[in-house]
Structure formats: C-alpha cells, structure tokens
Amino acid sequence: MIVNISKKMNEQVLGGALSYHKNYLAGPYKGYYITIDYKPPVYIVYIHATFDNMAGKAQFESFLEEHQDTMQYLSKAEAKQHTVKLRIIEPKPKKLISSVLNDTIEPVMRQLLNCKYDTGCINCGDNDGVIDCYEISGYHHYLCEECIREIEQEFKDKQIELADIPSNPTLGTIGAIGGALIGVVAWVALYANNLFAWLAGLAILFCAYKGYEMFGGRIDKKGFAISTVIIGIMIFLGNHLAWAWSALDTAKLQGYSIGEILLLWKILDASNATVRYILDLIAGYVLTFAIGYRIIKGTYRKSIGSYSIRKMNLQ
C-alpha cells in the first residue's frame, strides 16, 4: 500500500521550499540540499552538509544528541561526513506532522548555518560539478555525476558477487519454519483473546524470511520461494489451531477426542461453522499479504540482488 505526502503538508513544511513528489520532498533550502522520504510511519530527512574538520563534526554531533533528547518524535539523529540524517516518527494525530518536521529540522539548519558548512554531493561532498537528485532503491539523494557512476558499478559488482554465493536450503528451511512458528503461536494467542489474529500473519511473514536468512546464510531466489511456501502453510496452521483451541473446552464436553478437535472438520460440520472458518482463513491470507507487501517486495529484491537508480526530474 502506497501512502503519499499531501500537497497541503508540502506547503507547510519549510515554508513550501521543497519540490513536491507524492512520496518524497526534495530541493535546496537555506543553501542546503534536502530530501524527505516518507516510509510510513517514518520520515527520513537527509540534509546534505559537508563537515570539513573532525572537531566541527564532533561539536555538531554533541548538538544532535541534545536535540534528539528534547524532540519527542526524533527517534534517531546522526551526522556523517557529508550528510545529516534525521529519522522522525509520524505523530498522532497525523495532522501535526508539518509542525513536527519544522520544529525538528529548523534548529538543525540554524546550527549548520552558524557553523557555515558547505552543501554538495552526499557521497563525496563536491559542489563544483553537476549535482542532481537520484532515487536509489527507494531513497532520494543529491549526487554528482562521478559518484552516481561509481555507485552503479558497485551495485552491479555486488549483484554478480551475490549470484555466486548460494544459501544453505536445509538450514534455511529449518530457520524459516522456526521463525514462522513464532507467528503461529501469536496467531492462536490473539484469536483466543478476541483480537485481530491476522496481525500475527506479519510476524509469520517477517520471521520466516528472517529465519531463513539467519540459518541459511542469505536469502536467495530459492530461499525466497521456500520461505513464501512456508508462510502460506503457517497461515493455514495458525488459523486452524486458533479455531481448534477456541473449540477445545466445549468439544471435550461433547465427547470429541483430542484428535478430532485438532482435525476440526467434524466439529465445523456439526456446528455449521465451515463457511466462517474458510472466510477467516481467506481474510488471514489477504490481509497478511496485502499489509506485508513491502516486506515481500523488499525480500524478493534482496533475493535477486536487485537495485534501482534513476535520475529525478525536479521542477
């Protein structure tokens, strides 16, 4: 599900100085290149500033630590050689985001201006050549032509390198099953407490992929396929066990054996609940894969060593 930045918010953030592009903002502000990427529920802010000496960088880092302590929604602030990165959590209610962004970014800008740091390429700091905004695997940065060529070559080399490193499918499968079972337990527990059990589907999704990667060494195309099949099986298992657990006490009083309760089919037929069971299962699959789309897409891209670089046309 793609969530866009509103045009109204763009007009309110930094006086509307940045160029509007639905899921990100970018442009120069007070002499510094800035990009703001929206990755719900987080805004990632990059301020392109080059620190010309370690003493100045240390002083600025000290300011950032204090700033992070005082700003409620600033979860992480860090200064690198050529950029300042701010990770800002979306507030509740969401309509406060414009003021939160302004209150978080403006003090950083004042500090940078006071120290008279330069802006430029996020990779090398150069500001003499042509600097353009690029989208690199979903995030936006200002880079010079030389650096973007180097980054493209690095991605290509990494892609070739990953293709030569196989995963261990046996251990990976064990890891995926173990990880997914964590989500199955959560599914049963949530269902037993009348909560949205399908939320545990995200745990099944994430833990299965992560389990394969941890035990298998890396997640390649084969690992992605194996993990996805396991996820499908575990969603069925989670829903089935949740129904069996909820029927346990009543079914035992009615004379059903443990085996019959676990198989469940006789109980569903006798109580005319088969349709509800199937609808619950379908909802579990649809909601898990719809809400977990970003996880699935990111894992697949990782499995094939995929990357994307494109030059943005800023107006």
Side-chain angles (χ1 to χ4, degrees):
M1 182 173 63
I2 298 174
V3 183
N4 294 332
I5 296 172
S6 70
K7 288 187 177 181
K8 182 179 179 181
M9 192 202 92
N10 175 54
E11 293 169 358
Q12 296 172 340
V13 172
L14 304 181
L18 304 184
S19 182
Y20 173 73
H21 297 277
K22 290 187 177 180
N23 64 336
Y24 77 99
L25 306 177
Y29 179 65
K30 294 184 178 179
Y32 290 90
Y33 293 124
I34 297 180
T35 61
I36 302 177
D37 284 297
Y38 183 35
K39 307 292 181 182
V42 177
Y43 287 83
I44 307 295
V45 181
Y46 290 97
I47 304 171
H48 296 48
T50 296
F51 299 93
D52 50 10
N53 61 78
M54 294 306 293
K57 184 170 181 289
Q59 181 182 359
F60 187 82
E61 286 174 338
S62 177
F63 156 77
L64 277 185
E65 288 180 12
E66 294 179 8
H67 190 51
Q68 184 174 336
D69 290 338
T70 58
M71 301 306 297
Q72 178 183 356
Y73 298 103
L74 180 58
S75 65
K76 188 175 183 180
E78 56 183 326
K80 299 184 179 180
Q81 187 62 41
H82 303 297
T83 187
V84 178
K85 181 180 178 181
L86 308 175
R87 188 176 187 273
I88 302 170
I89 305 297
E90 189 170 50
K92 293 181 180 180
K94 293 182 180 180
K95 64 182 182 181
L96 297 176
I97 185 57
S98 298
S99 60
V100 167
L101 286 171
N102 288 331
D103 292 346
T104 305
I105 297 172
E106 288 289 9
V108 177
M109 298 302 300
R110 286 195 294 270
Q111 186 73 12
L112 289 171
L113 288 167
N114 289 338
C115 297
K116 297 181 180 179
Y117 292 118
D118 293 326
T119 194
C121 171
I122 195 173
N123 194 54
C124 69
D126 181 48
N127 195 21
D128 294 330
V130 178
I131 307 291
D132 286 304
C133 185
Y134 293 86
E135 180 187 309
I136 302 178
S137 297
Y139 291 88
H140 298 85
H141 309 285
Y142 281 89
L143 292 129
C144 65
E145 292 177 318
E146 183 176 348
C147 284
I148 200 64
R149 285 195 297 269
E150 291 177 1
I151 291 170
E152 282 185 297
Q153 189 59 50
E154 286 176 9
F155 275 133
K156 289 176 182 177
D157 293 343
K158 186 67 174 179
Q159 198 172 38
I160 294 170
E161 181 184 332
L162 283 174
D164 294 332
I165 305 175
S167 66
N168 186 321
T170 302
L171 291 178
T173 300
I174 293 171
I177 292 172
L181 284 174
I182 296 172
V184 170
V185 172
W187 192 300
V188 175
L190 288 172
Y191 194 91
N193 288 281
N194 297 315
L195 298 172
F196 296 112
W198 51 265
L199 286 171
L202 293 179
I204 293 175
L205 199 74
F206 177 80
C207 293
Y209 288 137
K210 183 58 67 175
Y212 190 99
E213 185 176 15
M214 290 176 64
F215 282 73
R218 63 176 292 259
I219 188 159
D220 51 12
K221 286 188 288 187
K222 183 187 294 183
F224 175 80
I226 291 171
S227 299
T228 304
V229 170
I230 289 171
I231 289 165
I233 294 169
M234 290 301 180
I235 290 173
F236 170 82
L237 183 62
N239 184 70
H240 191 85
L241 290 179
W243 272 70
W245 182 264
S246 68
L248 181 61
D249 292 337
T250 303
K252 284 172 70 176
L253 290 174
Q254 292 174 350
Y256 288 101
S257 68
I258 294 297
E260 287 174 324
I261 294 171
L262 287 174
L263 288 174
L264 202 60
W265 306 120
K266 284 186 178 180
I267 299 171
L268 291 174
D269 187 53
S271 58
N272 295 317
T274 303
V275 173
R276 267 200 313 124
Y277 171 90
I278 293 172
L279 289 176
D280 261 11
L281 181 60
I282 292 172
Y285 278 116
V286 171
L287 292 169
T288 296
F289 286 107
I291 298 174
Y293 169 74
R294 286 182 180 272
I295 298 174
I296 298 168
K297 181 182 177 182
T299 304
Y300 175 72
R301 291 175 64 88
K302 187 176 183 179
S303 73
I304 62 174
S306 177
Y307 68 91
S308 64
I309 297 177
R310 64 188 181 118
K311 184 178 177 180
M312 310 310 295
N313 182 24
L314 302 184
Q315 300 297 328

